[in-house]
Amino acid sequence: MARRGSYAKGIAKREEILSAALEVIARNGYGRASVRELADAVGLSQAGLLHYFASKEELFAEILRKRDEVDRETLDAAHADERLSMMDGFVEVMRHNADVPGLVQLYARLSAEATEADHAARPFFTERFRLFRELSVESIREGQQDGTIRADLDAERIASLMLAAADGLQTQWLMDPTIDMAEHIEYLLTLLKPPAAA
Amino acid sequence: MARRGSYAKGIAKREEILSAALEVIARNGYGRASVRELADAVGLSQAGLLHYFASKEELFAEILRKRDEVDRETLDAAHADERLSMMDGFVEVMRHNADVPGLVQLYARLSAEATEADHAARPFFTERFRLFRELSVESIREGQQDGTIRADLDAERIASLMLAAADGLQTQWLMDPTIDMAEHIEYLLTLLKPPAAA
DNA sequence: GTCTATATCGCGATAGAC
DNA sequence: GTCTATCGCGATATAGAC
């Protein structure tokens, strides 16, 4: 911001591109989101946009990275609130997802494409999965400490199942928007409670 | 089979194409599976193959449909065995999936692409999801009857979560094959047991 | 029913001017 | 830093011969 010269400008422009792309995709979905289309939205030519990102795949990965940064704040806020846990923030993020179908679709499609061995976005997803599991395990263990989650559960397995359920629900919801993603995650969370607890 | 004339021949050829395509994809994955490649495998030209299928998307959907037919037998066999339930068959199918990464990838990628409104494979997936939920709900209710599953659970929600977990685990596994898909599904199933049950 | 040949396409990427 | 122009790929789909 306060920095001078082309470097700072480049950073700022990247951010501007990402913000614009985020809006376009949220509105129009992944299918019609070519580099050209995104370039138009920010007032650049296609080549001009690709000056900032090595490839389309990396651009898309950066969009999701930026989205995750925003969502991460929701998670941290919930974690900081002593009446809540990271899992409450997670449910809130899922609830918010229902407002941005285009982004949900981008996530679903790019994560599927990134299963290809040489896909540029693959490192993004493997790291994302790792971090999600790490945060979840931490949150689950906290719940086990304070008695809100069954102590006998395997936090690692639950974390992977949580991630899987969230991703799978997004595809189901894209096919049939009457599915309530957040409610299903909440229901899964109730399965983790001790028999005695409310 | 016993039928005569061009119609029966066409049906047989379709089956031959699907079988060959199934093998090629299981071996090479989705990424390198163009219509041309699949045509080569069965000894047809690309145009020759498309004489039997309206489009690539429909061809791929048919491949998955055929795969589901095979897997369905595993489910039914488990259901018929009075010591088992459909869910046991489901775990077995997931275990088998680890042997056919190409098919898992085809499923993951095509289901993501089929979230596009006008995608030819979309009806296949919506129907598949519906059927999976139907069979799962039935199986869960049976488990609730005979006391192996908590009676207070919402079978519909569990069914959707089961489907979501299965699909999500496949993407995770494609990114990192050390994940044990079947084991995770089994673990999810244990969460459904009554507190008293073993 | 199957092939050859081609229409047509859109896109991502790159070269080079300004 | 941005544009114009174009390359070049790979693909699906189709027309029409045999």
Side-chain angles (χ1 to χ4, degrees), chain A residues 65 68 107 110-111 114-117 119-134 163, chain B residues 171-177:
Chain A
R65 207 187 304 275
D68 277 350
Y107 178 87
L110 199 66
S111 62
T115 61
E116 212 69 39
H119 196 287
R122 189 171 166 137
F124 164 74
F125 284 103
T126 56
E127 167 57 16
R128 184 186 194 276
F129 288 0
R130 190 202 61 73
L131 179 61
F132 181 93
R133 291 195 196 98
E134 180 181 298
L163 174 59
Chain B
T171 300
Q172 288 184 47
W173 175 76
L174 288 167
M175 299 266 186
D176 171 14

Side-chain angles (χ1 to χ4, degrees), chain B residues 4-150:
Chain B
R4 243 161 229 274
S6 59
Y7 182 65
K9 172 121 186 288
I11 299 285
K13 193 73 180 179
R14 271 176 68 101
E15 289 300 312
E16 189 190 332
I17 292 168
L18 289 177
S19 289
L22 210 101
E23 275 175 41
V24 171
I25 291 175
R27 197 170 53 245
N28 301 343
Y30 177 95
R32 307 224 149 351
S34 63
V35 174
R36 251 182 194 89
E37 196 120 3
L38 299 178
D40 286 351
V42 73
L44 281 179
S45 70
Q46 180 243 11
L49 192 156
L50 282 183
H51 174 70
Y52 293 94
F53 298 91
S55 69
K56 175 193 181 171
E57 291 171 356
E58 288 196 3
L59 166 60
F60 281 164
E62 286 303 312
I63 291 169
L64 289 177
R65 206 187 303 273
K66 188 180 168 69
R67 196 264 293 252
D68 277 351
E69 275 174 29
V70 177
D71 288 350
R72 179 64 193 270
E73 288 171 26
T74 303
L75 262 46
D76 288 345
H79 188 249
D81 186 330
E82 63 188 20
R83 293 159 310 180
L84 302 176
S85 83
M86 170 267 190
M87 286 297 169
D88 296 296
F90 177 46
V91 171
E92 198 176 322
V93 167
M94 288 297 279
R95 189 169 288 121
H96 169 68
N97 278 347
D99 297 326
V100 285
L103 277 180
V104 173
Q105 200 195 29
L106 168 61
Y107 178 87
R109 294 196 55 174
L110 199 66
S111 62
E113 285 170 19
T115 61
E116 212 69 39
D118 58 351
H119 197 287
R122 188 169 167 140
F124 164 73
F125 284 103
T126 55
E127 167 57 17
R128 184 186 194 277
F129 288 179
R130 189 203 61 74
L131 179 61
F132 181 93
R133 289 195 197 99
E134 180 181 298
L135 295 176
S136 297
V137 164
E138 190 184 334
S139 174
I140 291 164
R141 296 236 165 93
E142 283 174 18
Q144 290 176 315
Q145 291 288 330
D146 63 27
T148 55
I149 292 181
R150 279 170 51 182

Side-chain angles (χ1 to χ4, degrees), chain A residues 79-111:
Chain A
H79 189 249
D81 186 329
E82 62 188 19
R83 293 159 309 179
L84 302 175
S85 82
M86 169 267 189
M87 286 297 169
D88 296 297
F90 176 46
V91 170
E92 197 177 322
V93 168
M94 288 297 280
R95 188 168 290 122
H96 169 68
N97 277 347
D99 297 326
V100 285
L103 276 179
V104 172
Q105 201 196 27
L106 168 62
Y107 178 87
R109 294 197 56 175
L110 199 66
S111 62

